[in-house]
Amino acid sequence: MQIPDNLLCLFSAGVTEQRNSYVIEIPDSEIATGNLQEGEVYHVALLETKSTPDEDITQRREVGIPEPPVEENETRTVDIGDIGEQGDGVARVERGYVIIVPDTEKGERVTIEITDVKETVAFAEVIEREDYYL
């Protein structure tokens, strides 16, 4: 399956009936991280999953928290889109996942090595700076 570059988030959720409609619950974390905005309209794709008979919707929701799209020691090239409150560069990758990159400037393109990965943010060091005049 191909995953488009403009994918904002990926999670598992159950479909429930609510007042003659069906509802898919979006985890709070998707709004909190800025991937989605309340009141906006998005395209949604549904993929069938095979669940075991004893699995309930609560378990599926807990499993639905996506893994970070980066791993420690991974190298990748990113664009610094913002500067955080502490003055560090902020890059966003798949699903809006944030990578904090110290000693960078907004608009800079750098090759980084991921040094620490958390559920909602990763930290990286610059290993190479792209030439501004390429």
Side-chain angles (χ1 to χ4, degrees), residues 76-83 87-92 99 101-112 125-134:
R76 57 164 72 197
T77 300
V78 297
D79 293 320
I80 304 301
D82 293 300
I83 300 297
D88 295 325
V90 176
R92 291 186 181 269
I99 302 175
V101 187
D103 303 320
T104 54
E105 297 177 14
K106 185 175 180 175
E108 191 173 10
R109 176 171 281 183
V110 292
T111 300
I112 58 171
E125 295 177 353
V126 174
I127 57 175
E128 185 178 347
R129 296 178 190 277
E130 296 284 324
D131 189 353
Y132 282 109
Y133 303 105
L134 289 178

Side-chain angles (χ1 to χ4, degrees), residues 9 17 39 41 55 60 68 74 89 93 119 123 131-132 134:
C9 62
E17 186 175 4
V41 176
E55 182 181 35
R60 286 196 303 269
E74 178 181 343
V93 293
E119 186 176 318
F123 300 88
D131 189 353
Y132 282 109
L134 289 178

Side-chain angles (χ1 to χ4, degrees), residues 5-10 29-30 32-36 69 76 82 90-99 119-122:
D5 291 337
N6 61 349
L7 178 69
L8 297 176
C9 62
L10 180 64
S29 61
E30 297 302 331
T33 58
N35 296 338
L36 305 177
R76 57 164 72 197
D82 293 300
V90 176
R92 291 186 181 269
V93 293
E94 298 92 305
R95 301 185 321 266
Y97 187 83
V98 172
I99 302 175
E119 186 176 318
T120 59
V121 65

Side-chain angles (χ1 to χ4, degrees), residues 13-25 57 60-61:
V15 177
T16 58
E17 186 175 4
Q18 197 174 73
R19 295 175 288 174
N20 297 326
S21 291
Y22 292 91
V23 177
I24 300 171
E25 291 186 28
I57 191 164
R60 286 196 303 269
R61 220 176 271 135

